[in-house]
Amino acid sequence: MQYNSHDSDEILKRLFEPKPVKVKESLSELFLNRLESLEIPKTTALNIMGMSARSLDGIITGEQKMIDYTQLVKLSNFLGIQLDEVVNLYLEKVQEVHAIGLNDIVSGDLVKFINEKFDLAELRKVGLIKTLTNYTEINNSICNYFGLRSIFEYKEPNISIAFSAGKRAKSNCSLNNWIYLAEQKCIELRNPNIYNRENLIEYFPSIRWQSMDVENGLIKVIKQLFNIGITVVIVPSFPSVHVRGATFTINDKPCIALTDYVGFYPTLWFGLIHELYHVLFDWEDIKISDPHISKELGLDSISPLEKAADDFAREYLFSKSKTIESSLFINNDNLVRSYALNNNIDPSFVYVFNAYDAPKTDKYAWGRAKKHNPDIKKLKSKLQHDFENGTSFSDHIKKIRNTIYS
């Protein structure tokens, strides 16, 4: 492959200019963290700064629009951060609390932008919005969930990503939204670790057996992968987007996004191993030119790259030969459980792969798989930002950054 000077400049730009983050600690959070680090009460801090509680509260809550500039200087000195950062955080809070702007005025441009970039019917179906006509409410809900200060901050992503798709990966608003959320989540988690391929190879044998711990096994794997420079996130699925996952690069490090689009526990693990295959064997290509685009229109049209990743994941988790062997006693739950545990895998994998390979004449195969599929609500609640819970993007990032990605 030939590269010109423009290509080289673009690669260098990507390597040395990290993606900017949007989730910042507020003045309130910085102040509380400072109290904890100094192990002093608020009253002592007020005495040190020579400031009243009313003045301080007015600044950090943004309620006080008119203040003495020296108060910001005192707060800057106490927090130990630059004055311009304190000023910016204060002004942002004031704007958040007092601004009218887009929160109260619906413009024609805003309505047009929302209709072009978001599938409102689908957003209502997943619970993110409750109306199709109140654009003030729609705007607020989208901005809150996507972490946008203004709806016009939303930029459609470059869909040059290695997809792990189901039956189809339709290029539409929801697919763009899904990728945008995956990218922004990885940017904000700020992985400080350097990716090393040998470290991944060394860790790989320890992945499969952790599937036996339904509630925490995947989280433990995600934590360890984060420590070796790979950020793995879970993004809720959109009904029209039949994608298991995607592999892309943020700040020259591998990022993997997974989604639970069919509801089966083994599918999350299959998606993870599939994407790790891309990291192991296609990373240099993804990092430089993102060539692995696999939008499957049907099972017969799967690309060679995606088939190789699927075969790798299948062989690693539960090979076809093991499926054939276990099919002889698939109706004996005790034997299936024993066979699964002997192969360091959750029993649900046996039923799902058996159903996947079963002939169409076995009309009970997927019923068995569904019956023995573990409840993964608790697992997902720890990792993904649910559409309908009302939590802001910023609060979600701060929560998982402290509990998982640290």
Side-chain angles (χ1 to χ4, degrees):
M1 184 181 293
Q2 296 289 328
Y3 296 106
N4 57 36
S5 59
H6 176 75
D7 294 327
S8 300
D9 290 342
E10 180 62 27
I11 293 169
L12 288 173
K13 180 179 178 182
R14 290 171 57 190
L15 288 176
F16 295 107
E17 289 188 11
K19 299 277 187 179
V21 297
K22 292 185 292 186
V23 177
K24 302 175 182 177
E25 272 62 44
S26 65
L27 285 177
S28 178
E29 290 168 322
L30 290 170
F31 180 72
L32 291 176
N33 290 339
R34 188 62 167 162
L35 292 183
E36 289 179 6
S37 66
L38 295 176
E39 298 181 344
I40 59 174
K42 181 179 178 180
T43 53
T44 301
L46 291 171
N47 289 332
I48 293 173
M49 291 186 290
M51 189 184 301
S52 69
R54 183 176 180 179
S55 296
L56 175 65
D57 292 342
I59 292 172
I60 64 179
T61 62
E63 295 289 346
Q64 188 170 330
K65 290 187 285 186
M66 300 294 290
I67 62 170
D68 181 349
Y69 185 73
T70 60
Q71 305 289 341
L72 296 178
V73 175
K74 293 176 181 179
L75 183 57
S76 169
N77 291 335
F78 176 75
L79 296 177
I81 62 177
Q82 294 295 320
L83 177 60
D84 60 348
E85 184 176 353
V86 172
V87 172
N88 288 334
L89 289 173
Y90 164 69
L91 292 176
E92 287 176 8
K93 194 65 179 177
V94 170
Q95 185 178 20
E96 176 187 326
V97 173
H98 297 283
I100 298 176
L102 289 177
N103 288 331
D104 298 309
I105 300 175
V106 177
S107 68
D109 287 342
L110 182 143
V111 172
K112 180 181 178 182
F113 186 87
I114 289 177
N115 288 335
E116 287 179 349
K117 305 301 181 183
F118 302 91
D119 184 336
L120 297 187
E122 187 146 55
L123 292 187
R124 186 170 68 168
K125 182 183 292 187
V126 299
L128 180 58
I129 62 175
K130 295 179 173 58
T131 175
L132 296 178
T133 57
N134 186 334
Y135 278 86
T136 295
E137 185 178 321
I138 292 169
N139 173 73
N140 292 343
S141 296
I142 292 175
C143 287
N144 181 64
Y145 186 83
F146 282 73
L148 304 168
R149 287 171 296 184
S150 161
I151 196 72
F152 298 107
E153 283 187 349
Y154 176 80
K155 305 294 182 186
E156 289 186 344
N158 177 8
I159 312 185
S160 297
I161 289 179
F163 285 108
S164 168
K167 291 184 179 179
R168 65 186 184 277
K170 188 179 178 182
S171 179
N172 56 14
C173 292
S174 296
L175 177 59
N176 288 332
N177 295 165
W178 188 86
I179 298 167
Y180 179 90
L181 290 168
E183 289 184 334
Q184 292 302 311
K185 197 167 182 177
C186 289
I187 290 169
E188 299 299 341
L189 289 174
R190 311 173 191 175
N191 195 332
N193 303 294
I194 303 300
Y195 167 61
N196 182 288
R197 187 173 186 269
E198 291 304 314
N199 290 341
L200 175 58
I201 293 172
E202 183 179 350
Y203 175 63
F204 223 99
S206 301
I207 296 177
R208 183 178 60 198
W209 63 267
Q210 297 190 71
S211 73
M212 294 187 287
D213 179 358
V214 174
E215 188 171 337
N216 294 303
L218 184 59
I219 292 175
K220 292 175 181 176
V221 171
I222 288 174
K223 284 184 176 182
Q224 188 57 43
L225 289 172
F226 190 77
N227 289 334
I228 61 178
I230 304 170
T231 304
V232 179
V233 298
I234 292 184
V235 179
S237 63
F238 292 91
S240 68
V241 182
H242 292 220
V243 175
R244 284 193 302 257
T247 301
F248 49 99
T249 174
I250 297 293
N251 297 337
D252 202 37
K253 297 172 186 177
C255 291
I256 292 172
L258 304 175
T259 191
D260 176 33
Y261 90 102
V262 290
F264 286 105
Y265 174 62
T267 304
L268 282 175
W269 287 89
F270 188 89
L272 174 63
I273 302 304
H274 175 111
E275 302 305 330
L276 287 175
Y277 173 91
H278 285 310
V279 175
L280 276 173
F281 299 106
D282 303 321
W283 176 237
E284 290 304 316
D285 289 336
I286 294 172
K287 184 170 61 174
I288 294 174
S289 55
D290 299 339
H292 300 301
I293 303 174
S294 178
K295 299 180 182 179
E296 300 173 22
L297 301 176
L299 295 176
D300 295 332
S301 61
I302 185 171
S303 71
L305 287 171
E306 294 305 293
K307 185 178 187 307
D310 279 349
D311 291 346
F312 176 86
R314 178 64 186 272
E315 188 67 25
Y316 176 81
L317 291 170
F318 197 73
S319 66
K320 290 190 176 184
S321 62
K322 291 178 181 178
T323 302
I324 294 172
E325 187 174 0
S326 61
S327 67
L328 301 175
F329 48 84
I330 196 65
N331 291 306
N332 188 319
D333 294 347
N334 290 329
L335 286 179
V336 169
R337 179 173 180 79
S338 177
Y339 189 81
L341 297 182
N342 286 336
N343 283 277
N344 300 317
I345 209 77
D346 183 81
S348 59
F349 286 74
V350 182
Y351 294 105
V352 165
F353 285 125
N354 176 269
Y356 186 82
D357 290 346
K360 293 182 179 179
T361 53
D362 186 354
K363 57 183 179 180
Y364 301 108
W366 284 110
R368 284 192 299 266
K370 187 174 181 179
K371 176 184 176 182
H372 294 283
N373 188 50
D375 187 344
I376 57 175
K377 290 180 181 177
K378 287 185 178 179
L379 167 64
K380 291 195 296 182
S381 69
K382 296 176 182 179
L383 289 164
Q384 76 177 19
H385 187 194
D386 292 329
F387 290 118
E388 66 276 7
N389 69 7
T391 304
S392 71
F393 177 81
S394 177
D395 287 345
H396 169 68
I397 291 296
K398 290 172 184 176
K399 174 189 171 184
I400 61 174
R401 190 190 287 159
N402 291 331
T403 57
I404 298 172
Y405 302 90
S406 57

